């Protein structure tokens, strides 16, 4: 229509906001040079005088009674304006604007009236070309702005709802670089759906509008345009990833409720696939490992030049500020999440030319620090403005002030930044009234903003230029960062998200545990790392309680940094004093105290120390003197007692019998097929008890009870794995049977929302092994543990990041490989190894326990991370069949397997089993020959996996000797070898023959031409009455065929020396000495005072049985479980070989067991992992 064009009618933009009054729609007050009041026309009145088109944007924001002032102008094209101190019409108090055809008639009448004594009237004319275009949202119950009276003022038109085809066409025209298939998937996923009821008619239009609004996750057109523009600037192979990343950011994906998040991801996966959606979600959540371009993690800027700087992997231009004092200068520690955000912000500014950016995140997460560091790196001038609940629209744009009686307007940081090309940082945008922030929408979307003093910010200098209207063109370098807290509880600010789609949105959540630990270590280098880890864990738990609604105050990284700075500056300050500043108000609320209690106790911080005594606790402490309280606290420390062992003595000799035997393996291919299991379900733990609470201290940390009931079977195995790829936190996997369920308990001391979570993954009824074996199944000793043949087992495959569940009696899936069995994105595969398949016997219902394989855990497998293409230790598993004396070595990544038949194996004939009729009559009958009791263990060595096998029921060498078989399974494709080792006992101890169970780094056997240069500490399977607690295999000499074995012996209690036995503290208050007695006490007396009563075995050591020995990597110690069923509890025994000491601690108290679960102690006992 030509409005705003050169030589054509003018164009006026008038952005409306809720604070406007009726007078503001027509005029505004100002002063002249003498300080006298003047009235200046609004954009609406200027358009009426000059014949321009006035766009009233946001009619719905005003109340109906305010808009009624427009009735004379809209209906009669006349309006009365106020005048004051008008120099052209001195004495006039008002002005009447009328339409052109009445102007001539009224001019004569006004002239006649001016000759009288009445106040003169100024007369103006409304231009015939004057038009108004009002924009508004439909009225709603919350905003019923369109009254019956106001509805008669305008001619109404409804903006049509765009269908899918219209949006596709628009996007294709604007962004032709995007593939049509990509745009089709975008619109199908989050765009409005096509509706058949799109024919003209009020009902059809209303239905289409309602359907499009109610469509789940339907994105606005401006959002689709923004994400399409982002994708069009990326490389073709990254376009869809950028599209999804932008879409999830605009949808505030990190802050969505879990249900809405899952629904959005499901909708996107349906159109874009799993991999692309997962990659985009990781980027938005900032959990990926995006390596920076430089080697220093503390610098976001890598290589620099005179005019360019590297930010991550993006090269950005450096500014040349005219006022360097406006460039921020902050201290910054680069953590991965912040570095990724810096790169994304720089890319948005200089590649996509995004000028208006919104950064959302929790309070105290570092939004200001990240933006300031970015501006410091880019050398850009900054204008800063902080909003609050009393901020008005006028304060956002200009600040009125009285100077020498004159009303002057001083430019706000917003106006200065827009005029001079600076970067505006608008902080706490969610704190101001929403209508104040909505004013920015006119600037962001329309490029227009009218100032209270009559000036106008505009992207282009168009429109009328009459008195009081001065257009300020927005500088091409002007940019705006809007910072706000995340939406929802507990940040109860304005509804900023309702208008946030006009900005390019970036989300910044609290840093992950590893990044936050790196941050606090950089801030407080003098604080011990263990204390920093404790603080990081406490604050992660506090934030989780806030998200769950149990606490209201949002504990952030800001408070954590305040605590660690205090501890760094005052290293001798107690922790409770440092925490007092952030808990000063919480200590007065009993409900908050009870919520905080388990959070602090879990980390070993007593609640009374951190929050102080309850307010109603008027009684004084038990001991008033500081030294008495210190003694009471130290006496509460319960540590295991040290006992000295006898000097190392000779236990026997290992001698190689014969020459090594080369074994010929049978190579096989392994097949994987996808599993058909539902995701795990989160189940609350039955009980969680933290031991380090109150004033005492023990070596026990926590006790967790699974929610097992009498309907569940026994727990048969457990293994420790890694919780996730992004974290080093551990997860405990536990396998129970009848039915088979895989339980996963995440580390309760880890940081993050998943800490302490328990999940259950049913493996199916086919794994109900308890119904498949007789009451006394054959057993085998695997790594020192006695395991029933046919029982399910688990091992961790380190390199594959997977958990292997071995179900030998399951005919459908004997081996299952799980990745993330505790996560919702769990994947499972059934592994088919031909050598592990049971023999096909006619009439056989299912495999027999006597024929089954056991999986042998490989000690120290995680430490062997070799890069062989096949059969690397860290990605392998070893299976052993006692009945057939067969070994199967499986590589799960290369999908290869070796089957090895050991010497002495029976003839490979199909075992004769019962017929189908016999099995149905007697399901528990197992006539297959029962395999002998044997021991098998495996250890990772520098040359491969060494498997040690011994037949415990067949004594080859008489009363004082035994033999075992050492099999070396090398990595890569080298053939395995076997060697028989004869164990000769010492003449003085013929009944204590050390049978190898678990060894350390060096080879137990002696390969030809190579000797072990270091001693090997190992645990031995010995008689219950033996006092040999640990064994050491001496270094082998090159060319020698024998190695000496030494043992550490327990000393009888009546011969022990040097063990302190403090007096029984029945009355602790009476045993404290006086100050004078304490000053004269010798060191022995002081040790007795400070040492609590250590726990002691309730029965002599020779009455206990040892199970599951383990040699920790490089620990030079042997750890095992001591069990005595009649006492009902288990103990942990740790033997330290270099110091010849042993410590024993209770690991399972009688009250920790449940006799009604899993048939009592049939599969019970503790397990060392």
């Amino acid at each position: 229509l030509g409005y705003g064009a050169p030589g054509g009618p003018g164009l006026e933009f008038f952005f409306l906001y809720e604070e406007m009054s009726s007078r503001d729609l027509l005029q505004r007050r100002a002063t002249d040079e003498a300080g006298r009041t003047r009235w200046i026309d609004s954009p609406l009145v200027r358009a009426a005088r000059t014949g321009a088109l006035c766009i009233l944007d946001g009619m719905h924001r005003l109340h109906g009674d305010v808009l009624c002032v427009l009735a004379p102008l809209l209906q009669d094209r006349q309006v009365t304006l106020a005048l004051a101190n008008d120099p052209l019409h001195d004495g006039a108090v008002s002005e009447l604007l009328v339409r052109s055809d009445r102007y001539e008639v009224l001019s004569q009448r006004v002239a006649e009236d001016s000759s009288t004594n009445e106040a003169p009237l100024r007369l103006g004319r409304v231009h015939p070309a004057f038009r108004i275009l009002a924009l508004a949202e439909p009225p709603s119950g919350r905003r019923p702005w369109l009254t019956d009276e106001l509805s008669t003022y305008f001619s109404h038109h409804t903006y049509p709802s765009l269908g899918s085809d219209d949006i596709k066409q628009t996007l294709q025209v604007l962004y032709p670089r995007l593939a049509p298939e990509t745009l089709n998937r975008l619109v199908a996923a989050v765009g409005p759906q096509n509706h058949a009821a799109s024919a003209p008619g009020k009902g059809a239009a209303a239905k289409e509008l309602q359907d499009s609004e109610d469509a789940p996750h339907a994105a606005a057109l401006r959002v689709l345009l923004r994400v399409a523009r982002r994708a069009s600037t990326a490389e073709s192979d990254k376009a869809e990833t950028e599209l999804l990343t932008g879409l999830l950011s605009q949808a505030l994906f990190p802050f969505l409720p879990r249900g809405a998040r899952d629904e959005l991801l499901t909708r996107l996966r349906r159109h874009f696939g799993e991999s692309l959606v997962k990659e985009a979600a990781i980027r938005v959540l900032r959990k990926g490992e995006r390596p920076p371009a430089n080697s220093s993690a503390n610098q976001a800027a890598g290589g620099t030049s005179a005019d360019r700087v590297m930010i991550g992997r993006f090269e950005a231009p450096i500014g040349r500020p005219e006022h360097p004092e406006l460039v921020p200068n902050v201290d910054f520690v680069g953590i991965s999440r912040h570095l990724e955000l810096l790169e994304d912000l720089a890319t948005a500014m200089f590649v996509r030319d995004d000028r208006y950016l919104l950064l959302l995140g929790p309070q105290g997460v570092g939004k200001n620090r990240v933006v300031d560091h970015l501006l410091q790196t880019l050398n850009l001038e900054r204008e800063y403005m902080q909003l609050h609940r009393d901020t008005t629209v006028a304060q956002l744009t200009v600040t009125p002030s009285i100077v020498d009686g004159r009303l002057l307007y001083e430019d706000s940081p917003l106006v200065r930044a827009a005029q001079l090309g600076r970067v505006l940082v608008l902080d706490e945008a969610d704190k101001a009234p929403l209508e104040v922030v909505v004013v920015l929408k006119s600037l962001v979307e329309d490029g227009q903003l009218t100032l209270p003093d009559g000036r106008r910010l505009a992207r282009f200098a168009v429109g009328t230029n009459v008195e009081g209207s001065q257009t300020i063109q927005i500088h091409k370098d002007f940019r705006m960062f809007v910072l706000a807290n995340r939406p929802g509880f507990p940040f109860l600010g304005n509804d900023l998200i309702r208008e946030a789609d006009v900005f390019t949105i970036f989300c910044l959540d609290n840093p992950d545990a590893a990044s936050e630990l790196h941050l606090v270590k950089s801030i407080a280098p003098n604080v011990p790392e263990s204390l920093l880890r404790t603080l990081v864990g406490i604050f992660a738990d506090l934030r989780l309680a806030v998200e769950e609604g149990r606490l209201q105050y949002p504990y952030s990284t800001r408070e954590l940094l305040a605590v660690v700075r205090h501890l760094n500056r005052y290293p001798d300050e107690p922790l409770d004093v440092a925490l007092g500043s952030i808990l000063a108000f919480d200590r007065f609320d009993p409900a908050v105290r009870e919520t905080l209690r388990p959070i602090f106790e879990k980390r070993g911080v007593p609640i009374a120390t951190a929050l102080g005594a309850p307010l109603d606790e008027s009684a004084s402490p038990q001991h008033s003197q500081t030294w008495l309280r210190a003694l009471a606290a130290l006496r509460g420390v319960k540590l295991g007692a040290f006992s000295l062992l006898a000097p190392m003595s000779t236990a026997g000799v290992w001698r190689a019998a014969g020459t090594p035997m080369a074994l010929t393996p049978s190579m096989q291919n392994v097949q994987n097929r996808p599993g058909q299991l539902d995701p795990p379900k989160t189940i609350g733990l039955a009980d969680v008890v933290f031991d380090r609470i109150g004033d005492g201290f023990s070596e026990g940390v926590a006790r967790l009870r699974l929610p097992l009931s009498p309907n569940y079977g026994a727990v048969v195995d457990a293994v420790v794995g890694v919780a996730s790829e992004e974290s080093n936190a551990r997860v405990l996997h536990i396998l129970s049977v009848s039915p088979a369920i895989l339980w996963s308990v995440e580390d309760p001391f880890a940081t993050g929302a998943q800490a302490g979570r328990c999940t259950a993954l049913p493996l199916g009824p086919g794994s109900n092994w308890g119904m498949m074996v007789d009451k006394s199944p054959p057993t085998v000793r695997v790594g020192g543990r006695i395991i029933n043949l046919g029982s399910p087992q688990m091992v961790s495959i380190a390199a594959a990041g997977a958990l292997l569940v071995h179900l030998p009696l399951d005919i459908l899936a004997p081996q299952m490989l799980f990745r993330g069995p505790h996560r919702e994105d769990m994947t499972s595969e059934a592994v088919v190894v031909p050598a592990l398949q049971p023999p096909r016997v006619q009439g056989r219902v299912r495999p027999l326990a006597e024929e089954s394989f056991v999986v042998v855990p490989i000690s120290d497998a995680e430490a062997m991370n070799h890069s062989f293409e096949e059969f690397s230790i860290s990605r392998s598993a070893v299976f052993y069949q006692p009945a057939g004396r067969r070994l199967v070595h499986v590589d799960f990544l290369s999908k290869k397997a070796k089957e090895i038949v050991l010497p002495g194996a029976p003839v490979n004939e199909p075992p004769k089993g019962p017929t189908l009729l016999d099995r149905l009559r007697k399901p528990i009958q197992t006539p297959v020959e029962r395999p002998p009791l044997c021991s098998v263990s495996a250890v990772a060595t520098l040359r491969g996996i060494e498997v040690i096998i011994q037949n415990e029921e067949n004594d080859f060498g008489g009363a004082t000797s035994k033999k075992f078989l050492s099999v070396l399974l090398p990595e890569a494709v080298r053939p395995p070898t076997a060697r028989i080792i004869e164990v000769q006992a010492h003449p003085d101890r013929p009944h204590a023959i050390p049978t190898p169970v678990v060894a350390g780094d060096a080879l137990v056997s002696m390969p030809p031409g190579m000797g072990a240069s270091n001693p090997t500490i190992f645990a031995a399977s010995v008689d219950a009455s033996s006092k040999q607690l640990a064994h050491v295999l001496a270094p082998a000499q090159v060319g020698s065929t024998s190695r000496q074995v030494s043992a550490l012996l327990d000393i009888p209690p009546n011969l022990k020396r040097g063990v302190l036995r403090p007096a029984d503290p029945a009355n602790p208050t009476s045993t404290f000495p006086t100050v004078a007695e304490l000053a004269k006490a010798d060191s022995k007396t002081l040790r007795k005072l400070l040492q609590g009563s250590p726990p002691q075995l309730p029965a002599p050591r020779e009455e206990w049985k040892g199970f599951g020995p383990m040699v920790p990597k490089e620990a030079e110690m042997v750890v095992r479980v001591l069990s005595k069923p009649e006492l009902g509890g288990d103990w942990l025994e740790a033997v330290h070989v270099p110091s010849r000491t042993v410590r024993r601690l209770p690991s399972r108290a009688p009250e920790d067991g449940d006799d009604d679960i899993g048939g009592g102690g049939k599969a019970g006992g503790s397990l060392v992992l």
Side-chain angles (χ1 to χ4, degrees), residues 754-967:
Q754 305 302 318
R757 188 175 66 116
C758 176
T759 60
L761 178 63
L763 302 183
S767 305
N768 194 351
W769 77 281
M771 303 294 294
M772 307 175 192
V773 298
D774 57 14
K775 295 182 180 179
S776 58
T779 58
V780 60
R781 191 186 299 271
V782 180
R785 291 181 56 205
I786 297 180
I787 295 178
N788 295 325
L789 274 177
S791 173
Q793 293 177 265
M794 295 187 300
V795 291
S796 178
I797 311 299
L803 179 71
L804 175 67
V805 178
H806 176 53
L807 306 168
L809 300 186
D810 191 336
I811 59 176
L812 298 179
Q815 288 79 38
M816 294 289 294
L817 200 64
F818 294 93
R819 287 178 174 85
H822 58 290
R823 300 197 301 262
E824 296 179 357
D825 58 347
M826 176 271 304
T827 60
S828 62
E829 293 177 318
V831 182
V832 180
V833 184
L836 300 179
Q837 298 301 308
R840 298 183 179 274
V841 179
Q842 184 178 4
R844 182 72 61 82
V845 176
R846 55 169 46 92
L848 298 178
E850 289 80 359
E851 305 168 344
S852 60
F853 283 81
V854 293
V855 59
V856 186
I858 305 173
S859 177
D860 297 335
E862 295 184 5
M864 300 296 177
N865 191 15
H866 298 166
S867 58
F868 294 102
E869 294 182 359
E870 295 180 358
F871 298 103
S872 291
I873 296 177
S874 59
R875 62 189 195 185
S876 299
V878 175
F879 299 84
Y880 178 64
Q881 185 187 41
R885 292 181 65 85
R886 290 191 298 161
L887 278 174
V888 178
H889 184 194
V890 182
D891 185 337
F892 290 97
L893 291 188
S894 65
K895 298 182 180 180
K896 299 289 185 182
K898 299 178 185 177
E899 181 183 9
I900 305 167
V901 180
L902 301 178
V907 180
N908 190 13
E909 294 181 356
K912 297 180 180 180
T915 64
L916 176 61
L917 184 60
D918 294 335
R919 294 287 290 176
L920 293 177
R921 290 175 179 174
K922 295 183 179 181
I924 64 174
Q925 183 179 0
T926 57
V928 177
E929 182 179 355
R930 189 182 187 92
L933 179 64
C934 66
S935 296
V936 58
S937 60
V939 60
T941 69
L942 297 177
R943 298 190 61 198
I945 303 172
E946 183 174 21
V947 182
I948 305 169
I949 305 169
Q950 191 210 8
N951 186 348
E952 297 186 4
E953 294 183 357
N954 187 2
D955 190 359
F956 296 101
T960 60
S961 67
K962 286 187 177 181
K963 295 180 181 180
F964 66 85
L965 185 66
S966 173
V967 181

Side-chain angles (χ1 to χ4, degrees), residues 1141-1162:
T1141 56
V1142 61
R1143 299 182 68 191
R1144 299 184 180 101
L1145 299 167
S1147 65
R1148 183 174 67 91
E1151 60 270 16
D1152 293 334
D1154 291 322
D1155 293 337
D1156 57 343
I1157 293 179
K1162 289 189 299 183

Side-chain angles (χ1 to χ4, degrees), residues 557-571:
T557 306
R558 180 185 303 159
E559 284 82 10
L560 174 60
L561 294 181
V563 173
V564 299
R565 285 193 180 101
H566 183 94
L567 294 174
N568 188 66
R569 186 171 183 179
Y570 305 100

Side-chain angles (χ1 to χ4, degrees), residues 113-130:
D113 294 341
S114 62
S115 61
T116 64
N117 294 331
E118 298 180 1
L121 176 67
R122 179 177 175 179
L123 190 64
R125 177 170 54 183
V126 176
H127 197 283
F130 167 59

Side-chain angles (χ1 to χ4, degrees), residues 517-533:
L517 180 61
H518 170 70
L519 177 62
V520 296
K521 287 170 64 177
S522 302
I523 296 296
N526 298 326
V527 180
E529 183 175 346
S530 59
L531 180 56
L532 295 179
R533 289 183 180 274

